Amino acid sequence: MKIPAARWYQALKERSSRRQFYSKIIEKPKIKQLNDLIEKINNDFDDLRIILVQKNVEEIFTGVLGSYGKISGAPAYLAFVGREDTPYMEEKIGYGGEAVILEATALELGTCWVSGTFKAEAVLADLDLKETEKLYAISPLGYPEENPTISERILKTVISSKKRMDLDKLIINKKDLEEEPEWVKTALKTAHLAPSAVNRQPWRFKLGENSITIQLDTEEKNEERSKNLDCGIAMLHLEVGSLKAGVSGSWKYLEGKEVARFAVE
Ligand SMILES: Cc1cc2nc3c(=O)[nH]c(=O)nc-3n(C[C@H](O)[C@H](O)[C@H](O)COP(=O)(O)O)c2cc1C
């Protein structure tokens, strides 16, 4: 997958989770642009399958806090599906899924990663999943109401979604970011903007000689709501930041608490 660094860098700064939408249908050229990207991603990553479903989401989402968090109005959604026994599938779902989310943002569409507050049966009825495949998450897709509505603002306050932990505290082996090369600073600041389930920010960064390793905050993986999926999202953000600063690299998956290392090529 080729990363349009400037376009997605801008998108990731503008993106925030949106939960209230107009029912306005998404124009065909935008659907085509997203489907073209989805096709490339699905080809690049074995056993990953992202699906764009053009269908009103009303039956699909459940509320987080009574009626406040309920996602409504969108005329389409994205489903993030993968083969469960494929290594690093959660990271791939996060990385590939966030690529589509950022492209949607660049097309001025609203999104929200959702792995908890939806009715899986309703989504599975729309998809033709193979026995080996798992539905990891979905996202509404559509034109968000211009300004976050009162219920969106209440929800954002409750889950402090705008807040990110202090970046210095997320770097486990070095303190003074200002002394690091430009690409490291940009890559980390960009990764820091990544969304994560309940905004838990489970990613930690270890700086090496021309490399950055992403690792989990704790040994405990949380099987139900994978922290590795959150890390996959942060991987894409980190790479977009690095490319924006003019430095390309490649990823190597790691084991245990360590998730993956990005090394300059
Ligand atoms: C993997 C994942 C799962 C999520 N699941 C839900 C969910 O079930 N319901 C929901 O309302 N928001 C969900 N979110 C959205 C997060 O709450 C949100 O990304 C986080 O609070 C940061 O806010 P932001 O996206 O506006 O930057 C999820 C986010 C991620 C990355």
Side-chain angles (χ1 to χ4, degrees), residues 15 17 19 113-117 156 161 164 195-197 199 225:
R15 186 213 58 83
S17 291
R19 295 178 176 86
W113 275 97
V114 176
S115 64
T117 57
K156 279 185 188 295
S161 69
R164 295 293 186 266
S196 55
N199 203 23
R225 304 191 80 189

Side-chain angles (χ1 to χ4, degrees), residues 125-197:
D126 289 340
L127 309 176
D128 192 14
L129 249 61
K130 298 189 196 95
E131 225 168 75
T132 47
E133 284 182 321
K134 175 178 165 180
L135 173 64
Y136 285 85
I138 62 171
S139 167
L141 186 68
Y143 287 97
E145 295 195 5
E146 272 103 19
N147 296 311
T149 59
I150 291 174
S151 65
E152 279 187 293
R153 288 205 300 272
I154 292 172
L155 183 70
K156 279 185 188 295
T157 310
V158 171
I159 57 180
S160 302
S161 69
K162 274 285 142 246
K163 286 202 195 111
R164 295 293 186 266
M165 287 176 226
D166 203 346
L167 180 55
D168 283 343
K169 297 203 174 82
L170 302 176
I171 304 170
I172 55 182
N173 63 338
K174 278 186 191 162
K175 291 278 178 284
D176 194 359
L177 195 53
E178 287 316 309
E179 285 174 12
E180 295 298 324
E182 205 51 44
W183 78 268
V184 173
K185 280 190 265 187
T186 314
L188 289 176
K189 284 180 188 163
T190 314
H192 192 218
L193 292 174
S196 55

